[in-house]
């Protein structure tokens, strides 16, 4: 049997870009995209799943590439009305995006699991590849700060990552089991590689690794595990990774990314601007590919996907 199935682990914006690249170069039956749900929260009675939305919109070609999240060509009438009504306006819900949150919340309330809802909505948007929540149980990321523990979206959006971070924890773990499709993908006989997309290891990938049994299952699978580093030129392009690393007392370098994934990691793909990190990474026994990792368009996404797959010894044709 050819072991060619790829399991990709993704957070939001940066991860979603590589996930879209992988979907562009792999057939639907050869790819399962597992998405972080630690950022999810209940807001104004709706269930919001920002990373599932980012991956869904990226694969459907609906994503706003300038803002980095949400739907392109968005309008904001709902927000204006909510504001006028005196309701919370710190988290921006676009008019088109609202359709997603309403549909998801409605179907969940009707008794579907998050996996079932996600499969339904992605399929109805014409996406053939499997976008799978890491768990159907709530596992919520919280950031410890000098102002106390904050729920992820409070830290990220309301506070704009300003408080000094002291730690990260996942409410609901242990106790959250992998979603059925995640468990099935981990057990596939034809699993050929695991690709960790360029998402924040602490805030976006760790929640996935914290789902019951996942870290152990990944360690036991004897297939290449390749991570694409989210650092670019010694910093994070968007998001709080560089600030977070500094506040947690870790160097802002790929050594910290490698340290974080530890024994799980076989191969790290790093940005050309961080070529200076290569020697140190190789000295710890890692395989390294140095390549431009900034993804500005479809061509960049597909090229980086092929680089990651080559590192994972997966043929893309
Ligand atoms: N990010 C922001 O910085 N501000 C927002 O108001 C905001 C709203 C939002 C609504 C729906 C959605 O799916 C994502 C949204 N995001 C927003 C992005 C999100 O907070 C983060 O990108 C992820 O949670 C981190 O991966």
């Amino acid at each position: 049997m050819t072991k060619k199935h790829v399991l990709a682990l993704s957070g939001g914006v940066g991860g979603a870009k590589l996930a879209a690249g992988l979907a562009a170069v792999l057939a639907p039956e050869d790819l399962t995209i597992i998405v972080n749900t630690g950022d999810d929260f209940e807001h104004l009675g709706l269930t919001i799943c920002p990373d599932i939305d980012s991956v869904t919109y990226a694969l459907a070609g609906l994503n706003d590439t300038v803002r980095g999240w949400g739907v392109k060509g968005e309008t904001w009438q709902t927000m204006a009305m909510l504001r006028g009504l005196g309701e919370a306006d710190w988290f921006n819900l676009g008019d088109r995006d609202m359709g997603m949150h309403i549909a998801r919340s409605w179907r969940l309330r009707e008794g579907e699991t998050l996996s079932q809802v996600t499969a339904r909505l992605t399929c109805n948007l014409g996406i053939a590849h499997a976008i799978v929540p890491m768990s159907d149980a709530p596992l919520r990321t919280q950031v410890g700060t000098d102002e106390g523990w904050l729920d992820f979206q409070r830290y990220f959006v309301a506070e704009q990552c300003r408080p000094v971070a002291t730690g990260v924890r996942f409410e609901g773990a242990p106790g959250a089991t992998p979603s059925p499709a995640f468990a099935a993908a981990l057990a596939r006989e034809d699993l050929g590689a695991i690709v960790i997309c360029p998402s924040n290891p602490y805030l976006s990938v760790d929640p996935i690794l914290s789902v019951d049994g996942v870290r152990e299952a990944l360690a036991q699978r004897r297939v290449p595990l390749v991570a694409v580093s989210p650092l670019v030129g010694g910093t994070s392009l968007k998001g709080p990774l560089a600030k977070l690393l500094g506040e947690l007392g870790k160097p802002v370098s790929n050594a910290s990314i490698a340290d974080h994934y530890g024994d799980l990691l076989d191969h790290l793909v790093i940005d050309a601007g961080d070529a200076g990190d290569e020697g140190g990474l190789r000295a710890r026994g890692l395989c390294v590919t140095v390549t431009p990792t900034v993804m500005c368009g479809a061509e960049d996404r597909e090229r980086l996907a092929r680089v990651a797959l080559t590192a994972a010894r997966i043929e893309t044709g």
Side-chain angles (χ1 to χ4, degrees):
M1 175 193 297
T2 328
K3 298 201 171 223
K4 60 176 189 165
H5 196 83
V6 175
L7 184 60
L9 311 184
S10 179
V13 183
K17 288 185 185 177
L18 186 66
L22 290 167
V25 301
L26 292 172
E29 61 273 20
D30 292 338
L31 177 65
T32 302
I33 304 165
I34 305 299
V35 185
N36 169 41
T37 55
D39 297 12
D40 297 7
F41 74 131
E42 301 291 322
H43 186 59
L44 300 170
L46 300 167
T47 302
I48 317 285
C49 303
D51 288 359
I52 290 181
D53 292 343
S54 292
V55 174
T56 299
Y57 295 148
L59 264 70
L62 291 172
N63 56 317
D64 186 303
T65 50
V66 178
R67 199 170 50 246
W69 52 268
V71 180
K72 65 183 172 187
E74 190 57 279
T75 54
W76 304 95
Q77 295 302 317
T78 309
M79 283 309 297
M81 188 66 179
L82 282 168
R83 208 167 285 125
L85 292 167
E87 297 295 349
D89 65 352
W90 61 271
F91 194 78
N92 296 288
L93 300 169
D95 299 333
R96 299 183 75 199
D97 191 31
M98 274 299 279
M100 175 67 88
H101 308 310
I102 291 169
R104 175 187 295 122
S105 305
W106 157 244
R107 292 292 175 183
L108 286 171
R109 197 169 307 166
E110 284 293 286
E112 290 187 8
T113 63
L114 184 59
S115 292
Q116 289 166 336
V117 177
T118 306
R120 171 198 288 277
L121 301 179
T122 54
C123 177
N124 287 344
L125 283 176
I127 297 170
H129 292 78
I131 297 176
V132 175
M134 63 189 198
S135 177
D136 286 331
L139 185 161
R140 298 289 176 255
T141 301
Q142 295 178 329
V143 182
T145 74
D146 53 355
E147 298 170 15
W149 285 97
L150 298 175
D151 290 341
F152 180 81
Q153 297 298 343
R154 277 275 162 201
Y155 167 76
F156 192 83
V157 174
E159 298 295 333
Q160 299 279 297
C161 309
R162 271 186 297 263
V164 175
T166 52
V168 181
R169 70 182 182 194
F170 307 109
E171 199 187 53
T177 53
S179 60
F182 189 9
L186 283 167
R188 283 180 77 120
E189 277 194 24
D190 65 345
L191 185 68
I194 296 149
V195 174
I196 300 184
C197 294
S199 298
N200 187 312
Y202 297 87
L203 298 176
S204 301
V205 183
D206 262 7
I208 305 178
L209 301 180
S210 302
V211 172
D212 289 357
V214 166
R215 197 181 287 273
E216 297 74 11
L218 291 176
Q220 279 162 18
R221 290 308 314 239
R222 303 220 165 153
V223 298
L225 189 145
V226 177
V228 177
S229 174
L231 290 175
V232 173
T235 189
S236 41
L237 262 193
K238 253 188 174 175
L241 177 58
K243 178 174 181 283
L244 188 69
L245 281 169
E247 290 167 356
L248 296 179
K250 298 172 194 301
V252 186
S253 87
N254 281 302
S256 296
I257 308 297
D259 271 348
H260 193 73
Y261 292 134
D263 290 345
L264 286 181
L265 189 63
D266 299 305
H267 196 128
L268 190 60
V269 177
I270 64 171
D271 185 62
D274 298 319
D277 293 346
E278 183 181 6
L281 294 168
R282 286 195 187 276
R284 33 166 102 208
L286 276 179
C287 296
V288 183
T289 299
V290 183
T291 189
T293 60
V294 179
M295 293 170 277
C296 294
E299 210 176 298
D300 294 341
R301 293 195 294 268
E302 289 172 32
R303 191 195 60 77
L304 189 58
R306 285 186 201 280
V307 169
L309 293 169
T310 302
R313 299 194 289 275
I314 296 285
E315 284 181 22
T316 57

